[in-house]
Amino acid sequence: MTPSAKEEPMSVDVAPPAVVQRRRDAERTRAELLDVATDEFAQRGYSGARVDEIANRTRTTKRMIYYYFGGKEQLYLAVLERAYAEIRRAERTVDVDHLDPVAAVRRLAEVTFDHHEAHPAFIQLVGVENAQQAKHMAHVARLVDLNSSAVAVLHGVLARGRAAGVFRADVDALDVHMMISSFCFFRVANRHTFGALFDRDLLDPARRTHYRTMLGDLVTGYLRL
């Protein structure tokens, strides 16, 4: 390069403000459609849900829904994927590496307890999909990775517990995941039938701490030597 030569400034691709705004609007519209679709599928099931109703509730059109998702089935799959991604995201935000194995398992159980209580639509969606033998979930490839990561976290904690001599050696991470999920799912899904039979509201705030502690005791009690 000669002394008189000047370096060309590096070009940086910056989207015009109008393009950025359109992207934000599209993301906002897509999120709103997923919110309403989640409620529609949870309340009415896959067969009973209507794209027209989702369009009406979001003040948009079926054509717009098809533009974003491709159709009813694709919209339902997107709802399922987001629902599972949310609970996996909640689990990943919990730092259990600094906790001893017993406290770590208890904390992971509490995360599921809190999430299921706060997201009853998730419980309904799981019920909807089970009623259909999970035929749609089988097509959501990312769900496998999402749920594998959840079990992997448990696997690591259980390995630490075995190494520390506090957990049994014959423990399977998937079994522990099932135990935690079963308790949390039953408490929300069977709230009304259980209440009708035994006159006890499983979501009664006065008993929340009792059930949350009970779950931790059940899981850690099963794991201990």
Side-chain angles (χ1 to χ4, degrees), residues 18-29:
V19 173
V20 173
Q21 186 59 44
R22 283 198 297 271
R23 288 175 183 168
R24 289 174 179 169
D25 290 343
E27 290 170 1
R28 194 158 41 239
T29 299

Side-chain angles (χ1 to χ4, degrees), residues 21-207:
Q21 186 59 44
R22 283 198 297 271
R23 288 175 183 168
R24 289 174 179 169
D25 290 343
E27 290 170 1
R28 194 158 41 239
T29 299
R30 193 176 189 279
E32 183 183 5
L33 287 169
L34 283 173
D35 288 342
V36 174
T38 295
D39 182 67
E40 181 72 8
F41 285 120
Q43 296 295 330
R44 302 179 185 276
Y46 179 77
S47 299
R50 294 289 178 265
V51 176
D52 283 330
E53 180 62 20
I54 296 170
N56 289 337
R57 291 176 59 184
T58 53
R59 297 182 180 179
T60 185
T61 63
K62 287 176 64 174
R63 183 178 179 181
M64 183 63 72
I65 293 174
Y66 292 150
Y67 170 78
Y68 280 106
F69 298 99
K72 179 180 178 179
E73 183 174 21
Q74 292 90 332
L75 175 59
Y76 178 68
L77 292 176
V79 164
L80 278 181
E81 184 172 339
R82 188 180 72 158
Y84 274 90
E86 284 175 346
I87 184 171
R88 298 292 87 92
R89 191 179 302 114
E91 291 167 344
R92 286 195 297 271
T93 60
V94 180
D95 179 14
V96 296
D97 291 339
H98 71 289
L99 299 175
D100 69 77
V102 175
V105 168
R106 187 180 287 274
R107 184 70 190 104
L108 289 172
E110 291 170 347
V111 169
T112 301
F113 182 97
D114 295 343
H115 177 275
H116 283 20
E117 180 182 74
H119 298 84
F122 172 75
I123 305 299
Q124 292 170 298
L125 285 171
V126 174
V128 168
E129 190 59 11
N130 270 295
Q132 300 180 94
Q133 293 78 49
K135 68 178 183 180
H136 291 97
M137 191 177 292
H139 296 294
V140 184
R142 282 197 63 232
L143 288 180
V144 177
D145 295 334
L146 287 169
N147 290 298
S148 295
S149 65
V151 176
V153 172
L154 263 175
H155 181 80
V157 173
L158 296 181
R160 287 200 288 121
R162 286 192 292 269
V166 295
F167 287 165
R168 294 161 38 186
D170 61 341
V171 168
D172 179 77
L174 195 55
D175 285 346
V176 178
H177 179 69
M178 178 185 67
M179 178 183 291
I180 294 171
S181 297
S182 299
F183 185 100
C184 299
F185 188 93
F186 183 97
R187 178 170 169 263
V188 180
N190 291 22
R191 174 190 186 184
H192 300 294
T193 52
F194 195 89
L197 288 171
F198 301 107
D199 193 27
R200 176 173 291 181
D201 182 2
L202 295 177
L203 297 188
D204 181 356
R207 300 186 66 84

